[in-house]
Amino acid sequence: TKSAIQNAIAHPRSLNMELVNAQQARRALDYLVGFNLSPLLWRKVRPGLSAGRVQSVALRLICEREDEIEAFNPQEYWSIEGLFETEDKAALKGKLNILNGEKMEKFSITNEQQATTAVDTLKAGTYTVKDIEKKQGRRRPSPPFTTSTLQQEASRKLGYGARKTMNMAQRLYEAGLITYMRTDSFALSKDAIGGCRATIENLYGKDYLPESANVYKTKSKNAQEAHEAIRPTNPGKKPDEVKGLEGDQWKLYDLIWKRTIACQMAPAVM
């Protein structure tokens, strides 16, 4: 963003040799893994394949998970639900938690005969609502997008595959509309948070604005967090104000804008 570039030029620093050495280590790993394994793949599997320092490890994780799936020993279990009707004819579904004084665990009923016997016992009873408890719940907004969560949400809400999502995000990035789209960080710059808070107050009012900014931290031990989360470069630029975007790109920008603005809003009350 413009402010980030201006800030970097205004505050130069000396070279960080730890970062230089980290890059040299990655370069060496690429040579050690890629140059040795790739020719082997060409001979044993098919020409043109490449083995990288990242892909090779990812492939091993997938293979190990597949081995676990193959070795899985399935166990049969049954759960029982009842459909009741209230006095005003409303449907009420309940799950069986206690049978004959015993708490039902996942493997309490392990075959169809036990399940049928339990259902016959339950059908003989009469039922009433013992207690109603009402309480207020709060749900914090979801954090801003990382690469993986953007791919997941774009698939769920827009039906985009991972490749299409990244292609669309690349174009939005090159157009200067969003920040870098390859990131595992939830962090937002002070400028971004300020822009989000100003937009929330302007569009929705102070009731939807928390007293202080929402801060999100990744739970992943391996997160590099070299970049900000994926966000609009200008949070104040609403999707309907962006000119010249194609349909799919507009939908993705709309998704990113809404998630970014929402992440700085007050919790939902239920």
Side-chain angles (χ1 to χ4, degrees), residues 49-262:
L49 292 175
S50 66
R53 60 185 165 83
V54 177
Q55 299 101 307
S56 302
V57 180
L59 180 60
R60 174 171 176 169
L61 290 171
I62 292 168
C63 290
E64 287 177 347
R65 175 58 61 87
E66 189 65 23
D67 288 341
E68 290 176 11
I69 293 170
E70 290 292 328
F72 176 70
N73 182 26
Q75 287 181 271
E76 181 180 350
Y77 69 92
W78 292 67
S79 57
I80 298 175
E81 291 182 345
L83 189 60
F84 303 91
E85 191 175 75
T86 63
E87 290 179 352
D88 55 1
K89 304 298 181 183
L92 183 66
K93 187 160 72 172
K95 186 175 181 180
L96 178 64
N97 283 317
I98 297 175
L99 179 64
N100 298 327
E102 289 187 20
K103 183 174 175 59
M104 292 287 99
E105 305 292 348
K106 184 176 182 179
F107 292 104
S108 294
I109 302 174
T110 56
N111 58 57
E112 185 175 0
Q113 184 179 353
Q114 290 178 342
T116 303
T117 302
V119 169
D120 289 341
T121 303
L122 293 165
K123 281 182 176 178
T126 54
Y127 299 91
T128 183
V129 176
K130 181 181 178 183
D131 186 33
I132 296 176
E133 182 181 351
K134 291 184 179 181
K135 55 186 177 182
Q136 195 177 81
R138 289 177 173 265
R139 185 174 67 202
R140 288 196 69 193
S142 299
F145 282 132
T146 62
T147 303
S148 60
T149 56
L150 175 63
Q151 290 173 343
Q152 291 164 22
E153 199 72 352
S155 173
R156 188 172 72 87
K157 289 188 173 177
L158 304 177
Y160 295 174
R163 179 174 292 181
K164 179 175 181 177
T165 298
M166 295 310 289
N167 285 340
M168 295 293 104
Q170 178 78 35
R171 293 180 192 177
L172 292 173
Y173 171 65
E174 290 172 357
L177 291 170
I178 65 169
T179 53
Y180 190 55
M181 64 286 159
R182 298 190 185 278
T183 177
D184 56 9
S185 172
F186 292 140
L188 294 174
S189 69
K190 289 182 179 179
D191 285 347
I193 292 173
C196 288
R197 289 177 63 82
T199 301
I200 292 165
E201 185 171 359
N202 181 45
L203 292 178
Y204 307 109
K206 289 187 176 181
D207 288 345
Y208 292 88
L209 189 67
E211 290 185 10
S212 58
N214 295 329
V215 178
Y216 302 90
K217 294 183 179 179
T218 179
K219 295 178 182 178
S220 171
K221 295 179 181 178
N222 298 319
Q224 297 180 19
E225 299 189 306
H227 303 280
E228 271 189 87
I230 302 171
R231 64 165 178 90
T233 50
N234 178 6
K237 184 174 282 189
K238 296 185 292 183
D240 56 7
E241 297 173 349
V242 179
K243 307 295 183 184
L245 282 186
E246 299 173 11
D248 288 345
Q249 289 184 56
W250 185 90
K251 289 178 184 176
L252 192 65
Y253 180 81
D254 182 63
L255 191 71
I256 294 169
W257 184 86
K258 286 177 178 175
R259 178 73 163 239
T260 305
I261 296 300

